[in-house]
Amino acid sequence: ELTQATFDNIKATDPKIDAFLALNEDAALDQAAKVDAAGIKEDQPLAGIPVAIKDNIVTKDLTTTAASKILTNFNPIYDATVTTKLADAQMITVGKTNMDEFAMGGSTETSAFKQTKNAWDQTKVPGGSSGGSAAAVASGQIVAALGTDTGGSIRQPAAFNGVVGMKPTYGRVSRWGLIAFGSSLDQIGPLTRGVKDNATILSTIAGHDEHDLTSSTQAVPDFAKDLNDATSVKGLRIGLPKEFLADGVDEDVKNAILAAADTYRKLGATVDEVSLPHNKYGVAAYYIIASSEASSNLQRFDGIRYGYRAQDVKNLEDVYVKSRSEGFGDEVKRRIMLGTFSLSAGFYDAYFLKAAKVRTVIINDFKAVLKDHDFIMGPVAPTPAFDLGAEIKDPITMYMNDILTIPVNLAGLPGLSLPAGFSNNLPVGMQLIGRPFDESTLYKAGYAFE
Ligand code: GLN
């Protein structure tokens, strides 16, 4: 009944939100019937609960396009590790959510297929790249969805839609079956209405996987277990970087974060001003590193192996050139060119290598602050959701929106985004950034605040 009601609700509401690229109705109802027949055991808190999956995570026999024309009608022959783990927990995959093409963007406007709207105001962007997942959760279509975050793509859409999103520590969750964008930055994580649900899902999808050698062997705690009251933040030391409240950050956003800092003080934590002096170089370094990795990862889309193939071709090279020219959108082509250029002989030292060095400096900034602070707090994005169409023609402005989320990916740290207030009836998000593999502290602090 729950699964059927979920589909009925999605069909009624999605013409307004456009969060979904594909629905999995027959298979989902079948799976739900099986879960029902087997009976739900006490140690299966997620059994029978519908979940949505971002469309860059492969799902067996369910169309997976990464919102790109080049993967039109691509039906994977295997499941990603995270989807297998959700199925093992008896969750029901109801469909695939819209996103920026290959997760490149911050508004879900680079999708080749449709424009998802913000759940609170349909004239605004849902954020991106996991805009479909965030809008689906915020609009009540689903209680949980998976997203992916390379430079902010879980946290920023979560903030724009007033939901909870976790970008786990790099290596916490297996990337096997995730269509790679920036392999040294990508992580999969949950978007949910509340912190406890988020923690439950992260515990389910995390852990070492022999298919992904960058996945960590660190033990995975039951993150939800200790979320019982607000006293757990007592005595914690929180750092608030002055760069996170600098010019360019909206007054309402600043005020929401300052109010959250006061809430933490009232709960018995200390909040002091700290500095991440090299934060401002994060965007430049990221767009070199992420684009370089993407230019390499996207070589596999050649018109032969998957999805779209151009017609009227003269020879093999023509297949490659035409399929890629017709199959990729403008933003993806921009990244491939930028990345190929940064990696090419003669430019490598000036661009890729320099960006890699900047990355180390940014990592060291975080290490210095997190040595004597339990976590860092700040805004997720400088502004709330902006108007549809307002920034899509201006890549630099769009890239600059990522200034507060990108450094966290460069450093591989966990980042939790949660609602912290409103600005003109639009949600404002707060971000908590933790030590490597200390998602627990972030969840405790998020739960205490919520
Ligand atoms: N907005 C950033 C970009 O366009 C981040 C995207 C992401 O995290 N996938 O690259």
Side-chain angles (χ1 to χ4, degrees), residues 103-106 129 149-153 181 286-287 335 402:
M104 297 174 186
S129 63
D149 192 313
T150 306
S153 280
F181 165 13
Y286 166 90
Y287 278 92
R335 310 271 180 125
D402 302 334

Side-chain angles (χ1 to χ4, degrees), residues 126-139:
S129 63
S130 311
S133 291
V137 173
S139 63

